[in-house]
Amino acid sequence: MGVGTLISLAPGLLPRTPGAQAILTGLLVVLSLGIAGIVRFVVRRWGFDVHRRLVRARLPLLIGTAVLVVGAVALAGDWQNSLRAAMSTAPIGAGYWLLWLIESVLIVGVLLGISRSIGWVLRKLGWARGVSLAVVAAGFLYLVAAPAAVGWRQTAYAGANAALDPALVQPVSDARSGSAASAVSWSSLGAEGRKFVSGAPAGPPRVYVGVESAPDLDSRVALAVRELERSGGFERSNLVVMVPTGSGWIDSNAVRGFDQRFGGDVSLVGLQYSYAPSWVTFVFGRDDAVDAARALFTAVEDRIRTLEHKPALYLYGQSLGAIGGSSVFADDADQDRRTCATLWAGPPAGQVHRAGATVLANTSDPVIHWSPALLWRAPDLTGARMDAPLPQWLPAVSFVQATADLLAALNAPAGHGHRYGTDQGTAMGSC
């Protein structure tokens, strides 16, 4: 129990709410208890009774663990407040740790109750029937429950994508997709596409094609190219292919940044490939991001070759969009040859061509830290911007902490975590 608590209190990358810290602590405590139970079972089979052999050491170990946990809480409080000071957020006090303690105890109690109930049922059934029940339960989960859950979530994501936000107004500018002159309907743009094209009519042409705008990838790509032609996108001196995140989101800060970077003489085009959250698409549908980015960039590139006036071609992607964008190219040399410049914001660790590209990365962004290799080696933070105190890398522990921080990466204050500013556009390189 003490080991799980100590690991949960190790320094993380981002400030946490008491609830988030309690969830991490509760899960790690239950996991450590489970591992300890397995170890006791194994050594008992070897004739070593832990309770009998170490009876005299139990009290000193308990006192020592309690002292370590109290010290870890004090250090964790100082660390949390150092992060909050760097990110200009309110410090925590004693109330934070009281809530953490109450919620952690509740979480551990519930999880232990569930596990012990399962254990009681298995003991009553016996090994043979218990294994049979486990096989049946696993089959049910795999064949019925999991597909039903995935379908339910997909339905929820589709509903969120289709929902019309009354605060967003259909564009009146012919230079925007979704306008009356556009072949892309306002409703088919999806929730994130409508955000991308709405707003003040002034500014660069914004072309966006949603997953509902055409029946397949090839037709969506062809539609995007036609939209660029219709909106005058190829007539600008600069054209930026913007690869969205998993949900189809394109950061409005990047849009403003490119407008500033090119003085309005730029056109922007994006193609939605999913409406699920980025982490879902990263795990289950990364190929969709890759295929969409390659298809759109290649089509725009081919069309530019046929033009007398050839706009400079740029490529931008944030997070999963950076993976999709970088996958367009075979290597760094191919990237340099086919683009004027590229920019990746918050790219997942080790997933993009960095040479020749502009890479924006906050050291507090767990996305740039996280990879399975974080279990056994420190992350490569070359070129990352030190925006907050950086914890010392610890084997396995840093992986756990970065994984927990992923859930709140977009909740950080502006300029920290996985939130980037207008420099996503203004920092783009030149030909």
Side-chain angles (χ1 to χ4, degrees):
M1 183 181 292
V3 172
T5 303
L6 292 172
I7 292 174
S8 76
L9 294 171
L13 296 166
L14 294 170
R16 290 190 190 135
T17 64
Q21 184 63 55
I23 291 171
L24 179 61
T25 300
L27 291 174
L28 289 177
V29 165
V30 172
L31 178 62
S32 65
L33 289 173
I35 294 173
I38 293 171
V39 171
R40 282 197 300 270
F41 175 79
V42 171
V43 298
R44 191 180 298 125
R45 300 282 297 220
W46 293 344
F48 186 90
D49 189 331
V50 175
H51 293 293
R52 185 170 58 84
R53 297 290 185 90
L54 302 179
V55 64
R56 293 183 178 180
R58 293 178 68 181
L59 182 59
L61 282 174
L62 180 62
I63 295 173
T65 301
V67 171
L68 287 174
V69 169
V70 170
V73 166
L75 292 174
D78 288 341
W79 180 259
Q80 282 282 310
N81 282 333
S82 68
L83 290 176
R84 290 164 185 266
M87 299 181 189
S88 302
T89 58
I92 62 172
Y96 177 99
W97 294 111
L98 179 60
L99 286 173
W100 164 77
L101 179 60
I102 294 171
E103 293 175 9
S104 296
V105 170
L106 289 173
I107 291 169
V108 171
V110 170
L111 293 177
L112 286 181
I114 293 172
S115 64
R116 286 178 178 174
S117 297
I118 294 172
W120 179 84
V121 170
L122 291 177
R123 285 194 299 274
K124 288 293 183 180
L125 291 174
W127 275 103
R129 284 182 291 180
V131 170
S132 300
L133 179 63
V135 170
V136 171
F140 174 80
L141 289 173
Y142 180 76
L143 297 173
V144 179
V150 170
W152 172 69
R153 290 311 304 163
Q154 286 294 337
T155 301
Y157 299 146
N161 184 65
L164 293 170
D165 184 349
L168 298 178
V169 179
Q170 183 175 359
V172 295
S173 170
D174 290 350
R176 304 280 177 90
S177 292
S179 64
S182 172
V184 180
S185 68
W186 173 245
S187 60
S188 75
L189 285 168
E192 299 300 341
R194 287 188 285 273
K195 292 176 185 176
F196 176 68
V197 301
S198 64
R206 300 184 199 175
V207 168
Y208 192 96
V209 175
V211 292
E212 304 296 335
S213 300
D216 54 56
L217 177 59
D218 289 341
S219 56
R220 288 193 288 271
V221 168
L223 180 56
V225 172
R226 291 198 303 273
E227 277 288 285
L228 280 170
E229 293 171 340
R230 181 199 59 77
S231 64
F234 288 119
E235 297 170 12
R236 301 298 176 107
S237 299
N238 306 282
L239 194 159
V240 182
V241 175
M242 308 183 79
V243 186
T245 64
S247 62
W249 177 63
I250 294 177
D251 197 331
S252 60
N253 287 320
V255 174
R256 289 195 296 272
F258 284 122
D259 195 14
Q260 296 174 27
R261 165 72 175 80
F262 297 111
D265 189 16
V266 63
S267 55
L268 311 173
V269 56
L271 179 70
Q272 186 183 26
Y273 50 84
S274 168
Y275 41 67
S278 278
W279 73 267
V280 175
T281 311
F282 181 82
V283 175
F284 299 107
R286 197 184 315 187
D287 288 346
D288 292 338
V290 171
D291 293 343
R294 286 176 176 169
L296 178 60
F297 184 86
T298 301
V300 171
E301 181 184 41
D302 290 344
R303 184 69 182 94
I304 287 176
R305 288 197 190 99
T306 68
L307 301 175
E308 184 176 349
H309 165 75
K310 294 178 172 57
L313 184 57
Y314 299 83
L315 185 57
Y316 155 84
Q318 181 184 139
S319 194
L320 183 57
I323 295 179
S326 184
S327 69
V328 169
F329 312 107
D331 50 33
D332 296 332
D334 188 41
Q335 176 176 282
D336 292 341
R337 178 177 60 82
R338 297 172 62 189
T339 65
C340 186
T342 56
L343 187 146
W344 316 130
Q351 299 288 322
V352 299
H353 299 297
R354 302 179 70 92
T358 299
V359 179
L360 301 181
N362 299 323
T363 56
S364 66
D365 184 355
V367 173
I368 74 165
H369 288 252
W370 194 93
S371 77
L374 190 59
L375 284 164
W376 61 83
R377 68 168 180 241
D380 180 5
L381 301 178
T382 303
R385 182 177 71 91
M386 181 73 75
D387 64 292
L390 187 64
Q392 176 67 40
W393 173 78
L394 298 171
V397 176
S398 293
F399 177 84
V400 171
Q401 291 291 335
T403 301
D405 285 328
L406 282 173
L407 299 175
L410 283 171
N411 296 333
H416 303 283
H418 200 53
R419 294 186 61 190
Y420 296 88
T422 55
D423 54 348
Q424 292 174 94
T426 57
M428 178 68 85
S430 302
C431 295

